[in-house]
Amino acid sequence: MSTFSATPCTPTSLLNHHNSLFYFPSCLPSLSVFQRSHPKNSPVAFNGVRLQHKQANVQNTVPGVLNSRFLQIGSEESSSSRHVLVKSTGAESAGGSTVSQSVLGILHLIVSVGIILAIDNFLKQAFVAASIKFPSALFGMFCIFSILIILDSTVPAVATSLMNFFEPALLFIQRWLPLFYVPSLVVLPLSVKSIPAASGIKICYIIVGGWLASLAVAGYTAIAIRRMVKTEMTDAEPMGKPSPFSAVEVWSWSGILLISFVSALLYPTALGTSARTCLPFLLASTVLGYIVGSGLPSDVKKVFHPIICCALSADLAALAFGYFSKSGLDSVLGSYLTKVSSNPGAGDVLMGFLGSVILSFAFSMFKQRKLVKRHAAEIFTSVILSTIFSLYSTALVGRLVGLEPGLTVSILPRCITVALALSIVSLFEGTNPSLTAAVVVVTGLVGANFVQATLDKLQFRDPIVRGIATASSAHGLGTAALSAKEPEALPFCAIAYALNGIFGSLLCSIPAVRQSLLAVVG
């Protein structure tokens, strides 16, 4: 009996009709076994794949060693020389490769997001243990940015590798960024219930007018400083844009909303508490509202931002559940944002990403590091001046419109992110922290909804001015709204967002500054 002669080479895979995967070394067998085994042009069963013999150059057609004992080739009859042509299974192999790449991509995303969340959690615990009131995420953001800068100047390849590794997490966060700021808007009806109507109108006037004034001051200051130092504007580094939402996502979240809503009505404590039981449908309604809002026409989104659609969707779901379950809207909103780690609601889950959002800003800042360095003078100067203007103008206007001093002091940090705004008002006596949080949220809402149109009207064109003006006047919500459409402005939003809060906190920690603000308030 003839034996095969072959030269060793790279293993080749072959799929049979049961999708079993076999590995063979790809080499050249001799023709003798085929010459003796099959009649001319007869098809051969090869583990379910038909083999057709024809005369040709075998070196270009045989994909692997065909071991007679393993392959169980049938007849031993003699015949003339022929080829073996294996029908292609390339489509199946490509499909398997695509699935493998998708699985690896999902794992990469999970690991990269998980690391950022773990860093945020570690910093929170460390700051709590050390009794430090400063937001741990801001500290972490500057640490990550500093590390990347150091690596870039010493071992650039490592800095590039880190950026590439965390790219999936950054795109994920950027894709859902506005969603993480929405919970405060959803529960806003609970925060403003205790405020008298007359005072509420005055506060709204201060919020809207103050937001517009702060935005203009920050933007025009940045332009003025740039002209003074004669810095020429260069193009920003291109920023990756996340993928749009698909119909599958819409239908998936719609199914979750419907099923969990009905389940919560029938079994109110199926998951132990009402907050956990309501969590799936409240989360689904929030996410679905954002997806639908993101798909609205551009002209509509200029005056009706997806953030508003998102908050309204969650409030409508809460209202419907409160009506059908007879528990009331307030009860359901209380379950939406419990602020209790052992009994989280949908809002707690979303706000749990806020720290990681701030940490991710470090990577965006690093990507635009050349522009940050080039325009440092206008960035820092405009943020500092806009912060001072915001604090003192709020105090002055509050006195001019006759707002109660306690309420005026409570809304002083209206342009500073919630965590730092609450720490600022804690330095004053007789303030209302709930009002502070509500005013900060409403300021962000106004900015999120009108910031792009206003920036265009004021002819703020470049991403530096647009980012600084937005974050200095509308903090996180404004940042989320602008960066969703203009990712190249995100790094400058992030810098202004952080510096605005830090400088405001430092300023108000000085006793003389606090006394001067109280004197203006009256």
Side-chain angles (χ1 to χ4, degrees):
M1 179 177 290
S2 299
T3 58
F4 292 109
S5 61
T7 56
C9 41
T10 309
T12 303
S13 63
L14 188 62
L15 286 167
N16 68 1
H17 69 299
H18 298 296
N19 293 324
S20 301
L21 186 59
F22 299 101
Y23 292 90
F24 305 103
S26 179
C27 29
L28 275 175
S30 90
L31 290 177
S32 58
V33 67
F34 298 111
Q35 293 172 348
R36 294 189 177 125
S37 297
H38 301 284
K40 185 176 182 179
N41 296 330
S42 64
V44 179
F46 182 80
N47 281 341
V49 178
R50 302 284 290 176
L51 309 183
Q52 187 69 37
H53 307 294
K54 293 185 180 177
Q55 291 183 358
N57 186 348
V58 179
Q59 292 184 358
N60 296 328
T61 58
V62 180
V65 166
L66 306 180
N67 184 288
S68 60
R69 188 175 299 173
F70 180 76
L71 299 177
Q72 298 293 318
I73 299 178
S75 170
E76 294 291 333
E77 299 176 6
S78 299
S79 67
S80 62
S81 177
R82 55 186 57 83
H83 258 345
V84 177
L85 297 177
V86 181
K87 290 189 177 180
S88 173
T89 57
E92 295 180 28
S93 299
S97 176
T98 302
V99 172
S100 300
Q101 290 176 355
S102 299
V103 171
L104 288 175
I106 292 171
L107 289 175
H108 188 182
L109 171 63
I110 293 173
V111 171
S112 57
V113 172
I115 291 175
I116 293 178
L117 289 171
I119 294 172
D120 176 46
N121 187 55
F122 170 77
L123 290 173
K124 282 180 182 176
Q125 294 181 358
F127 273 53
V128 169
S131 299
I132 300 174
K133 292 185 178 181
F134 186 81
S136 58
L138 284 178
F139 172 79
M141 181 188 77
F142 283 112
C143 285
I144 293 174
F145 180 70
S146 300
I147 290 170
L148 288 171
I149 290 294
I150 293 171
L151 289 175
D152 186 55
S153 61
T154 54
V155 275
V158 176
T160 303
S161 297
L162 281 175
M163 289 292 296
N164 292 336
F165 176 79
F166 285 105
E167 186 68 19
L170 303 180
L171 288 176
F172 170 82
I173 290 172
Q174 184 182 336
R175 190 176 194 236
W176 298 104
L177 181 58
L179 197 64
F180 305 134
Y181 288 92
V182 165
S184 297
L185 287 179
V186 176
V187 299
L188 189 61
L190 298 180
S191 304
V192 299
K193 289 180 67 175
S194 60
I195 302 174
S199 298
I201 294 173
K202 294 175 182 178
I203 291 172
C204 287
Y205 170 77
I206 294 173
I207 289 173
V208 176
W211 165 76
L212 180 59
S214 296
L215 181 143
V217 167
Y220 284 122
T221 300
I223 293 173
I225 297 298
R226 181 185 301 169
R227 289 173 178 170
M228 288 175 60
V229 297
K230 298 180 180 178
T231 304
E232 292 185 7
M233 182 64 197
T234 58
D235 291 336
E237 290 292 324
M239 302 290 290
K241 292 188 177 182
S243 58
F245 298 109
S246 65
V248 174
E249 290 176 291
V250 174
W251 287 110
S252 299
W253 283 108
S254 298
I256 294 171
L257 172 60
L258 181 61
I259 294 171
S260 57
F261 186 91
V262 174
S263 300
L265 282 176
L266 297 176
Y267 307 101
T269 57
L271 299 180
T273 65
S274 59
R276 286 200 290 265
T277 305
C278 292
L279 190 154
F281 82 81
L282 288 175
L283 179 62
S285 64
T286 309
V287 174
L288 196 60
Y290 180 61
I291 294 175
V292 172
S294 298
L296 295 174
S298 299
D299 292 339
V300 176
K301 285 191 285 190
K302 285 184 178 180
V303 294
F304 188 72
H305 195 273
I307 288 177
I308 298 178
C309 184
C310 180
L312 287 177
S313 174
D315 281 328
L316 288 174
L319 181 64
F321 186 81
Y323 174 78
F324 288 113
S325 66
K326 296 181 172 55
S327 58
L329 175 63
D330 290 358
S331 174
V332 182
L333 290 181
S335 297
Y336 184 88
L337 188 62
T338 64
K339 298 182 180 179
V340 178
S341 58
S342 59
N343 184 34
D348 299 285
V349 172
L350 293 174
M351 291 191 74
F353 283 89
L354 282 179
S356 61
V357 168
I358 296 173
L359 292 179
S360 73
F361 288 165
F363 297 93
S364 301
M365 290 163 54
F366 176 74
K367 195 165 187 178
Q368 303 288 1
R369 60 194 178 279
K370 293 180 181 178
L371 272 184
V372 171
K373 181 179 179 181
R374 182 182 181 88
H375 297 272
E378 66 201 71
I379 292 173
F380 282 85
T381 305
S382 58
V383 170
I384 291 172
L385 288 180
S386 67
T387 303
I388 296 173
F389 171 82
S390 173
L391 290 170
Y392 281 93
S393 64
T394 303
L396 179 60
V397 175
R399 180 172 184 171
L400 292 176
V401 299
L403 187 64
E404 295 89 330
L407 296 180
T408 303
V409 174
S410 297
I411 67 173
L412 285 178
R414 57 179 174 78
C415 292
I416 295 172
T417 189
V418 174
L420 289 174
L422 292 176
S423 67
I424 287 173
V425 296
S426 68
L427 299 172
F428 298 87
E429 296 181 358
T431 56
N432 183 345
S434 298
L435 174 60
T436 302
V439 166
V440 170
V441 169
V442 174
T443 300
L445 175 62
V446 172
N449 203 46
F450 300 108
V451 68
Q452 280 189 296
T454 305
L455 291 171
D456 293 340
K457 290 289 184 181
L458 295 175
Q459 298 185 348
F460 294 159
R461 304 299 185 194
D462 64 81
I464 296 179
V465 174
R466 292 173 75 88
I468 292 172
T470 299
S472 297
S473 61
H475 45 80
L477 270 170
T479 294
L482 184 68
S483 61
K485 291 294 187 66
E486 304 176 22
E488 63 277 2
L490 177 58
F492 310 105
C493 283
I495 296 172
Y497 174 87
L499 292 178
N500 188 35
I502 293 170
F503 186 72
S505 300
L506 292 174
L507 202 62
C508 291
S509 65
I510 302 172
V513 173
R514 290 202 302 273
Q515 292 299 322
S516 65
L517 285 170
L518 291 173
V520 174
V521 169

